[in-house]
Amino acid sequence: MWPLLLLATSLTGDPPQLPPPTRLTAEQDHQRLLKELGIESLRPGANGMDSKAPNYANTDEAKANPYPIPPLMRFKDGREVRTVQDWASRRREIIEDLDREVYGRMPRKTPKVRWEIVSTEHALVGDIPVVNKQLIGHVDNSAYPQLNVDIKCTLTTPANVKSRVPVIIEFGFFFPSRPGARPATEGPTWQQQLLAKGWGYAILDPRSIQADNGAGLTEGIIGLVNKGQPRKVEDWGALKAWGWGASRVLDYLETDKAVDAKRVGIEGLSRYGKAAIVTMAYEPRFAIAFVGSSGQGGVKIWRRNSGETVENVASSGEYHWMAGNYVKYAGPLTPGDLPVDAHMLVALCVPRPVFVGVGSPNVEGIWIDSRGTFMATALASPAYRLLGKKGVKLTVMPREGTPLIEGDLAFSQHHGGHTNGPNWPIFIHFASRYFQ
Ligand code: GCU
């Protein structure tokens, strides 16, 4: 009799009482992190707004490269990377450094996601008939019911294409309070351009996975896995969490009969450009990436002193994108002490195609460092070549408006501002080589 009774109490027993999520402002959590790392203070970042300010971001190329760039095709012990097997080991070495020092480690086990199709509607986008689906990914929170995470995403596919279609997932920018903030583009929107090609798109709301601020680190998927407690110094930051969410969207797409899940790309601009390259680097199921103006922490040589610096990203306004350990490189260490850099991140995508875009410094400004972006792209090329693919050939940065798209690694600097707009037709042309 008693074993039955025991079973009954364990079935009906209340879940263990876990404390509610810790509430900290970004400033408080940032201070907590510094204390844990034994750091008194950090060096301030560059000023990106006021060109008269004494600490205005550097634009002098002669001063832009204070540190040597660590070689991609050498192991940490100095041996050269010569073979495809070597590359597999080197890749693991890079991932370990990136995980520990830069983006943080994704937990070994993450909760399951159950996708719900909230609605399916027929509509027109421009003059193209489409099927729109509203999707919600319910993240299993049974281990910590105090937090709820529901991933929000829409999927739009052309209604009149009978075969499964390629899909580009965009990390969507949502500016509820700034309706004019989305740059207007002339001609068909990127969505119309994709549909005209017979492809579809999904727009993912990153904030539904993980908030875009430090105060949110005890919520979202990061907070859920930590049961509402603050992060450890090696824990993942928002960029990897957003990438995790994009992988879960891909899980859904694998089950949708309208979609060819072998031809799914990931796209983003700016902070979501950073998210796009991190997603692509870590998730081999993504077939292609479009990384726009990703700047510091994305595809741009991190140790450069040009535009935004490591110190800016380590500050309380942006550190949540990264692992806690990352802030060490803004004091006492320097960006030159980073064991890895952006070209290595790009190289993790080998052999899959990556399109790197930037705008014109005259319109977009100097913050994203277009030259450092080109350098990171070009310096990833040897890994592409080793795997029998084609990187970016030139060592000299091409002129604005002269896209390099012959290889599997593409670079395109458009004449516009902080937008992917003018690069969409060029990206679609590039992607057609893989998606036809
Ligand atoms: C800031 C930030 C950049 C980021 C950008 C954006 O400018 O410093 O790193 O890319 O915001 O996401 O718009």
Side-chain angles (χ1 to χ4, degrees):
M1 186 66 189
W2 62 268
L4 260 183
L5 259 178
L6 253 184
L7 184 67
T9 45
S10 69
L11 282 178
T12 57
D14 292 330
Q17 271 306 307
L18 291 164
T22 302
R23 300 278 172 214
L24 296 171
T25 64
E27 201 51 57
Q28 287 166 340
D29 182 59
H30 194 247
Q31 284 302 321
R32 181 199 61 81
L33 175 61
L34 294 194
K35 219 165 144 203
E36 195 164 323
L37 290 167
I39 299 176
E40 294 243 320
S41 66
L42 298 180
R43 291 182 302 278
N47 182 323
M49 295 293 184
D50 175 9
S51 60
K52 303 270 172 322
N55 64 336
Y56 183 61
N58 178 47
T59 56
D60 178 357
E61 192 51 32
K63 296 183 187 145
N65 299 292
Y67 308 108
I69 301 171
L72 171 65
M73 301 310 265
R74 262 185 205 292
F75 288 98
K76 288 166 75 119
D77 66 10
R79 275 178 308 130
E80 209 180 312
V81 175
R82 289 172 204 262
T83 64
V84 173
Q85 286 94 319
D86 282 353
W87 174 249
S89 321
R90 174 68 177 130
R91 195 176 183 280
R92 282 192 294 275
E93 201 176 68
I94 294 170
I95 287 181
E96 169 56 27
D97 282 344
L98 279 175
D99 278 356
R100 196 185 59 255
E101 304 296 312
V102 182
Y103 297 116
R105 299 185 195 281
M106 183 185 299
R108 261 180 227 293
K109 252 195 93 195
T110 50
K112 293 255 173 314
V113 175
R114 179 178 57 82
W115 282 99
E116 179 193 354
I117 303 171
V118 182
S119 66
T120 305
E121 280 168 11
H122 287 262
L124 284 178
V125 172
D127 53 7
I128 303 174
V130 298
V131 178
N132 273 328
K133 288 180 184 148
Q134 301 278 344
L135 307 167
I136 293 192
H138 302 283
V139 182
D140 176 8
N141 66 347
S142 52
Y144 190 68
Q146 285 96 320
L147 287 174
N148 216 35
V149 183
D150 283 328
I151 305 173
K152 293 202 188 83
C153 187
T154 60
L155 172 65
T156 304
T157 47
N160 295 338
V161 178
K162 290 295 159 260
S163 53
R164 291 169 176 262
V165 300
V167 165
I168 305 297
I169 303 178
E170 167 163 282
F171 285 111
F173 255 108
F174 296 85
F175 292 116
S177 55
R178 290 160 59 202
R182 285 197 87 144
T185 38
E186 281 166 37
T189 63
W190 64 269
Q191 292 95 328
Q192 289 165 345
Q193 294 174 50
L194 288 172
L195 293 168
K197 195 86 191 155
W199 302 354
Y201 55 87
I203 303 180
L204 169 60
D205 183 351
R207 302 164 313 169
S208 67
I209 306 160
Q210 185 60 43
D212 190 11
N213 55 61
L217 287 169
T218 51
E219 305 168 349
I221 185 61
I222 295 176
L224 179 59
V225 173
N226 283 340
K227 301 192 164 62
Q229 295 307 300
R231 290 191 301 171
K232 314 269 182 316
V233 295
E234 290 188 9
D235 281 357
W236 53 344
L239 293 177
K240 279 195 76 172
W242 291 334
W244 173 84
S247 291
R248 303 292 71 79
V249 173
L250 187 47
D251 295 343
Y252 166 78
L253 296 179
E254 286 178 341
T255 68
D256 191 311
K257 295 213 162 45
V259 177
D260 179 358
K262 293 259 180 309
R263 293 183 293 168
V264 173
I266 184 79
E267 178 263 345
L269 173 77
S270 210
R271 70 199 57 195
Y272 298 141
K274 306 184 215 295
I277 187 65
V278 169
T279 304
M280 181 72 171
Y282 280 88
E283 174 57 86
R285 291 177 298 159
F286 280 105
I288 197 165
F290 176 2
V291 181
S293 299
S294 57
Q296 186 55 269
V299 182
K300 157 229 160 59
I301 293 297
W302 302 332
R303 66 197 63 220
R304 267 167 69 81
N305 174 26
S306 174
E308 186 173 21
T309 63
V310 166
E311 285 81 355
N312 292 98
V313 176
S315 72
S316 63
E318 299 183 357
Y319 76 107
H320 61 276
W321 293 337
M322 318 301 276
N325 263 339
Y326 177 86
V327 308
K328 293 184 305 194
Y329 297 93
L333 302 175
T334 71
D337 295 314
L338 279 164
V340 273
D341 213 310
H343 56 315
M344 298 175 183
L345 173 67
V346 176
L348 295 185
C349 306
V350 168
R352 296 162 297 148
V354 174
F355 180 102
V356 176
V358 286
S360 163
N362 303 323
V363 190
E364 179 169 45
I366 50 91
W367 198 233
I368 68 124
D369 184 16
S370 47
R371 180 170 295 276
T373 305
F374 175 72
M375 286 170 70
T377 312
L379 288 169
S381 299
Y384 274 84
R385 283 198 286 274
L386 181 65
L387 276 274
K389 298 289 172 178
K390 231 169 129 191
V392 165
K393 238 195 298 161
L394 291 183
T395 41
V396 179
M397 189 171 168
R399 269 177 306 131
E400 207 180 286
T402 321
L404 293 176
I405 54 168
E406 300 75 39
D408 301 284
L409 193 52
F411 179 83
S412 176
Q413 178 170 35
H414 62 71
H415 297 300
H418 197 48
T419 164
N420 280 345
N423 263 339
W424 268 107
I426 306 168
F427 167 73
I428 291 172
H429 177 73
F430 173 69
S432 310
R433 292 215 313 259
Y434 305 91
F435 281 3
Q436 270 334 323

